[in-house]
Amino acid sequence: MNIQRKLSILADAAKYDASCASSGSNNKNSRNGKGVGSTSSGMGICHSYTPDGRCISLLKVLLTNFCLYDCSYCINRASSSVERARFTADEVVQLTLDFYKRNYIEGLFLSSGIIQSSDYTMEQLVNVAKSLRKDHDFRGYIHLKTIPDASPELLRMAGVYADRLSINIELPSEHSIIRFAPEKNPITIHKSMGQLKSHIDESKEDRKKSKKIRSDGRNTKAKASRFIFSPAGQSTQMIVGADDSNDMTILSTADQLYGRYQMRRVYYSAYSPIQNASAALPAKAPPLVREHRLYQADWLLRFYGFTVDEITEPHSEQNGMLDLDVDPKLAWAIQHRDLFPVDINRAPREMLLRIPGIGAISVQKIIRARKFRALRYGDLTKLGLSLKKVAPFVQTHDYNSSNRLLERADLKQYFMSSESPQMSLFG
Amino acid sequence: MFTVSINCFAEWREQARTLLMRGVTPKSISWQHDKQSALVFDDGIDFMSLPVLYQSLSIPKAFITMAEKVACCRDDSRWALLYSLAWRILFENRDLMSIEVDSQVVKALRMRKAVGRDIHKMEAFVRFRLIDSQCSNYGDYFSAEDEYYVAWFEPDHLILPIAVTFFIKRFTNMSWSILTPDGCAHWNQSSVMFTEGIHKRPDIDDSIEVLWLTYYSNIFNPARVKIKAMQSEMPKKYWVNLPEAPLIKTLMRNAGHQVDAMLEGASTQPWHKTKKSTFVMAAQKKMQAHTTKNTS
């Protein structure tokens, strides 16, 4: 089989992993090196976009799509009749370098079906990363999918070469994992996530210590530890809509993963129909709006000070599902009208963050600007805010007519008309 | 009215300092963008002969960083805007740039944002092509033994000198040229050289490109078409220089059929080969036994 055919099979097999992030690593570049590559602690770069609206940042492929596991939701499960292929380590290394040198990608996201044994498979993945780093001095981004059953030593090695590691939680409840992924073990998944976290924490601790030694001026001969274990941390993915878990369960699971393992990201992947799908799963279009609402809720958890209860509470009568018509922050505000309008010039940061239509960056700008002068209603447009969205919820010295809007029984309808352009994305 | 001609940020900075030290108000300067820098003055007043009113002026570093980006904006009003902001920071309010609702601040920040986005898109959408034989256009600047890559890009703003730093850090050990209508940058693994812009895209083939197109087609999920989301991040104006862009139409056209086929032929019988494989069956049994033991 030629390389082009392999690439088409093994890229196709990899596309159900939502992550393509190349952000939040450490700063590296090639100036004192022999190879190519750089990464930054900030934003990654999206080198292209496919018509599904997703970015291409990394070369996302499987090493092989042969697999012993038989997870119902997966196109590569053992009982699927999909065409199989396997890359050699050198083929993946060469492809990564060829793509990288042409500026198509930020690096590699490598995953694999489980062949022979978990350790054998993990070792193959680690070898690709090792060759890129050691043989080619590659300084671009490497994301390795980690196999939870692999030995602790292999997990440690993976973090030495990769910028990011991920273990997929796959489904929101243990019950679902056992039902749909019979060869996977929820306990091992959590154990391995815990192991990655402690490696990440330890390496942070070590660097802190060596920094301290240096700044004390003592023991200057001690070599500063530059090593960072998986500098972009770990992430995970949950499939949405394959089992019958509701949004409340999904968000609670995500919240625990963030809390327990300091996940950088939990990705939500709407279950998408595949060829040769298992009969145990729904054959329908992926629930993209639901996925979008979950991401919005996830943002509220991480950057806006909301709790899972607050986000899901307005929906407790809807079987714990988020409202698909309006975003979760707006849904919360409509239920808590008594807290509005909020005075833009006086409210604390926490309250500004709760105003629908105002994002975290705009909140920063408001706080900076209001130190120097009182903000007028018209100033909000200059900050790039939509007056239609914020009108019912804000108050300034020259604007306070929002109460009438706030009292409207059809407040949700007022917003649904303004949300329509966004909804059409999913049309 | 003084007419000040400049052609880059460094010159603006130099002239602006001279003018600010002499307390020349923003209203009495007309800034011109020109290849030749010059200070022209009306009414026979020698500009340099004006008395220096402020010996030492210090401007926040954050402003200079921002101004450097604003200076790349293809907008003739930028030099006057920057001078006016500098004047106001020095003589009105040192924290002016924090007031992001001030009209001039808003305008400058918009320009900086446009330039920042343009740089970001250039970092993303430049496509290098490997040239087989060494291109002689740039003489012996490049070593004939090294692989040589060439890219063509059309930025919205005058960002090449700033944007090139990213490529140098990332592709330090590669020889390359980035050609644009405003100027060309060349890197021979040790130093950068700028030459005049060229006006036509060079015609280059690269055999790796077919693999890139294969990847692009196969990583696309036909069940999640969101063309607007795609276009907001990769607007059509960039498509002309992206080798993968011609595939978009075909991928969109076929997406519907592919999904229908998946949904209709939804569930199939388990693959006979798997069932027959004693190796697979034994391995699965072993793993499942392990799972049940651990979770019960």
Side-chain angles (χ1 to χ4, degrees):
Chain A
M1 194 183 284
N2 71 15
I3 188 91
Q4 192 178 353
R5 185 73 201 131
K6 282 188 190 179
L7 178 60
S8 69
I9 294 169
L10 294 168
D12 194 77
K15 69 178 153 209
Y16 301 98
D17 248 309
S19 169
C20 204
S22 57
S23 52
S25 191
N26 52 342
N27 289 310
K28 301 192 271 281
N29 66 57
S30 291
R31 297 219 77 160
N32 58 352
K34 292 191 175 75
V36 290
S38 60
T39 55
S40 89
S41 53
M43 262 200 303
I45 299 173
C46 294
H47 286 273
S48 192
Y49 289 82
T50 40
D52 50 21
R54 284 185 160 169
C55 110
I56 297 182
S57 179
L58 303 171
L59 169 63
K60 182 160 52 176
V61 288
L62 298 197
L63 193 56
T64 176
N65 64 340
F66 286 102
C67 192
L68 290 170
Y69 287 12
D70 205 32
C71 311
S72 328
Y73 49 82
C74 182
I75 187 172
N76 307 308
R77 67 188 188 288
S79 61
S80 155
S81 62
V82 73
E83 191 178 359
R84 309 281 169 166
R86 180 179 177 177
F87 276 131
T88 65
D90 278 349
E91 283 169 339
V92 180
V93 167
Q94 200 50 52
L95 210 49
T96 306
L97 294 172
D98 280 343
F99 277 19
Y100 199 91
K101 286 179 176 178
R102 283 154 184 84
N103 204 39
Y104 299 158
I105 53 168
E106 292 289 285
L108 175 68
F109 178 177
L110 189 63
S111 180
S112 181
I114 311 293
I115 45 169
Q116 295 193 30
S117 70
S118 301
D119 276 353
Y120 174 81
T121 312
M122 193 66 224
E123 201 177 348
Q124 303 299 306
L125 295 177
V126 170
N127 283 344
V128 172
K130 185 178 174 185
S131 169
L132 278 167
R133 295 284 193 233
K134 294 263 173 184
D135 304 338
H136 302 276
D137 196 14
F138 177 69
R139 300 190 182 180
Y141 197 91
I142 299 179
H143 178 162
L144 287 185
K145 179 59 72 59
T146 315
I147 296 159
D149 297 318
S151 73
E153 177 54 19
L154 282 166
L155 292 196
R156 198 193 60 77
M157 296 270 286
V160 171
Y161 301 116
D163 292 273
R164 168 167 286 181
L165 299 173
S166 63
I167 298 172
N168 284 356
I169 188 83
E170 306 293 11
L171 293 161
S173 75
E174 274 193 16
H175 169 76
S176 298
I177 298 174
I178 293 164
R179 181 171 164 219
F180 292 110
E183 289 81 28
K184 292 206 173 187
N185 183 337
I187 292 175
T188 325
I189 292 177
H190 281 278
K191 220 170 106 188
S192 296
M193 285 174 171
Q195 198 200 326
L196 295 185
K197 180 187 181 285
S198 52
H199 281 311
I200 293 166
D201 291 349
E202 272 166 30
S203 113
K204 260 188 214 152
E205 250 341 278
D206 284 353
R207 262 174 301 139
K208 251 190 225 152
K209 268 188 219 150
S210 69
K211 235 186 206 166
K212 202 165 166 252
I213 291 170
R214 267 179 293 165
S215 62
D216 284 356
R218 285 181 290 141
N219 199 358
T220 41
K221 274 184 188 165
K223 203 175 169 206
S225 167
R226 295 232 165 181
F227 168 67
I228 311 179
F229 184 93
S230 188
Q234 62 171 324
S235 64
T236 190
Q237 168 170 298
M238 230 188 293
I239 299 165
V240 175
D243 66 343
D244 54 9
S245 301
N246 64 17
D247 293 343
M248 209 189 280
T249 310
I250 292 175
L251 290 171
S252 308
T253 304
D255 195 45
Q256 283 170 15
L257 291 169
Y258 282 125
R260 241 189 257 165
Y261 309 118
Q262 260 110 60
M263 289 284 163
R264 292 287 185 92
R265 282 292 293 276
V266 173
Y267 290 92
Y268 307 93
S269 175
Y271 173 68
S272 180
I274 46 176
Q275 297 143 22
N276 303 296
S278 152
L281 293 169
K284 57 183 179 197
L288 297 182
V289 181
R290 183 179 176 199
E291 182 193 271
H292 181 62
R293 295 288 178 236
L294 284 168
Y295 275 115
Q296 290 176 319
D298 183 273
W299 241 251
L300 295 184
L301 288 177
R302 291 191 293 145
F303 307 117
Y304 290 81
F306 281 79
T307 62
V308 175
D309 286 346
E310 282 177 316
I311 296 168
T312 51
E313 169 238 304
H315 314 290
S316 51
E317 282 155 28
Q318 298 162 44
N319 306 319
M321 299 296 273
L322 296 176
D323 194 334
L324 295 182
D325 295 331
V326 291
D327 71 77
K329 194 184 192 187
L330 180 56
W332 178 85
I334 291 174
Q335 295 274 322
H336 293 90
R337 297 183 205 192
D338 52 314
L339 298 174
F340 297 96
V342 167
D343 188 331
I344 289 291
N345 287 299
R346 296 209 191 122
R349 195 182 120 83
E350 302 78 61
M351 205 51 221
L352 292 176
L353 282 168
R354 299 233 162 190
I355 306 173
I358 302 188
I361 292 174
S362 300
V363 167
Q364 278 311 109
K365 288 183 184 175
I366 289 170
I367 291 173
R368 267 203 302 264
R370 74 183 185 184
K371 278 187 203 150
F372 300 97
R373 74 168 217 221
L375 301 185
R376 291 182 295 267
Y377 188 55
D379 288 335
L380 298 180
T381 337
K382 291 186 194 157
L383 291 171
L385 300 172
S386 148
L387 290 186
K388 174 157 186 181
K389 276 193 177 164
V390 301
F393 303 108
V394 299
Q395 176 185 320
T396 54
H397 302 302
D398 61 332
Y399 173 81
N400 194 9
S401 62
S402 61
N403 291 334
R404 266 176 297 128
L405 269 171
L406 258 183
E407 282 156 22
R408 273 168 64 157
D410 64 342
L411 187 58
K412 189 174 143 183
Q413 275 63 37
Y414 164 88
F415 281 105
M416 282 171 67
S417 55
S418 67
E419 273 225 347
S420 55
Q422 197 187 355
M423 293 300 288
S424 71
L425 269 180
F426 308 100
Chain B
M1 178 68 103
F2 298 98
T3 302
V4 186
S5 291
I6 44 151
N7 84 57
C8 68
F9 179 66
E11 279 174 18
W12 175 85
R13 199 175 168 180
E14 193 52 47
Q15 305 290 28
R17 169 183 287 277
T18 318
L19 291 156
L20 288 165
M21 282 165 70
R22 288 162 178 78
V24 182
T25 62
K27 278 189 179 149
S28 50
I29 309 168
S30 160
W31 294 88
Q32 307 276 324
H33 195 85
D34 211 322
K35 288 248 147 93
Q36 298 296 318
S37 75
L39 270 175
V40 186
F41 38 88
D42 284 354
D43 311 330
I45 304 166
D46 181 349
F47 170 77
M48 291 304 282
S49 70
L50 290 175
V52 171
L53 304 178
Y54 311 96
Q55 267 303 343
S56 68
L57 291 173
S58 88
I59 201 133
K61 210 178 159 203
F63 174 78
I64 298 296
T65 319
M66 185 213 61
E68 204 174 353
K69 285 227 170 109
V70 171
C72 299
C73 193
R74 216 185 285 270
D75 181 324
D76 292 338
S77 67
R78 65 193 186 281
W79 304 121
L81 176 68
L82 287 176
Y83 188 79
S84 179
L85 284 170
W87 173 275
R88 291 177 62 203
I89 287 170
L90 289 171
F91 305 120
E92 277 175 26
N93 181 355
R94 249 191 115 67
D95 295 307
L96 178 67
M97 293 313 291
S98 293
I99 307 176
E100 296 186 35
V101 292
D102 177 279
S103 302
Q104 283 191 330
V105 174
V106 168
K107 195 176 175 196
L109 291 178
R110 280 206 186 124
M111 285 188 187
R112 182 187 67 177
K113 197 174 171 189
V115 168
R117 185 176 159 92
D118 202 32
I119 292 172
H120 190 66
K121 292 300 176 193
M122 178 165 176
E123 291 169 358
F125 298 147
V126 152
R127 296 286 182 259
F128 281 118
R129 290 181 162 117
L130 177 65
I131 301 230
D132 280 339
S133 54
Q134 190 57 255
C135 175
S136 60
N137 288 5
Y138 303 101
D140 50 9
Y141 186 69
F142 293 104
S143 151
E145 283 143 40
D146 294 329
E147 282 187 337
Y148 175 56
Y149 293 82
V150 173
W152 162 256
F153 195 74
E154 295 167 275
D156 286 346
H157 299 287
L158 304 158
I159 55 171
L160 185 69
I162 286 194
V164 83
T165 345
F166 165 84
F167 294 96
I168 292 172
K169 282 184 181 171
R170 174 163 290 195
F171 303 111
T172 317
N173 305 302
M174 257 165 64
S175 297
W176 44 262
S177 296
I178 298 175
L179 316 175
T180 86
D182 303 307
C184 301
H186 312 276
W187 174 255
N188 64 1
Q189 306 187 29
S190 60
S191 66
V192 67
M193 172 176 87
F194 291 97
T195 58
E196 290 280 294
I198 59 167
H199 296 283
K200 207 173 144 263
R201 170 167 40 158
D203 200 11
I204 309 162
D205 278 331
D206 186 326
S207 61
I208 290 294
E209 218 157 83
V210 64
L211 291 177
W212 171 238
L213 301 186
T214 304
Y215 178 67
Y216 184 85
S217 308
N218 284 283
I219 203 69
F220 162 62
N221 183 348
R224 313 179 43 114
V225 171
K226 281 192 202 175
I227 193 72
K228 271 191 193 156
M230 170 202 186
Q231 283 195 25
S232 74
E233 295 299 334
M234 196 167 87
K236 277 192 169 163
K237 66 176 177 194
Y238 295 110
W239 292 15
V240 59
N241 292 320
L242 290 170
E244 64 272 26
L247 294 170
I248 294 169
K249 237 183 175 171
T250 327
L251 291 175
M252 293 286 293
R253 198 170 47 228
N254 298 338
H257 300 299
Q258 281 174 280
V259 177
D260 286 348
M262 284 185 210
L263 292 176
E264 278 162 23
S267 65
T268 53
Q269 291 303 310
W271 196 28
H272 62 279
K273 273 191 188 167
T274 320
K275 271 190 158 172
K276 277 189 199 160
S277 161
T278 47
F279 172 69
V280 172
M281 287 297 135
Q284 285 184 353
K285 220 171 173 183
K286 202 174 135 201
M287 286 186 281
Q288 285 176 19
H290 184 68
T291 308
T292 347
K293 197 181 75 201
N294 270 337
T295 46
S296 57

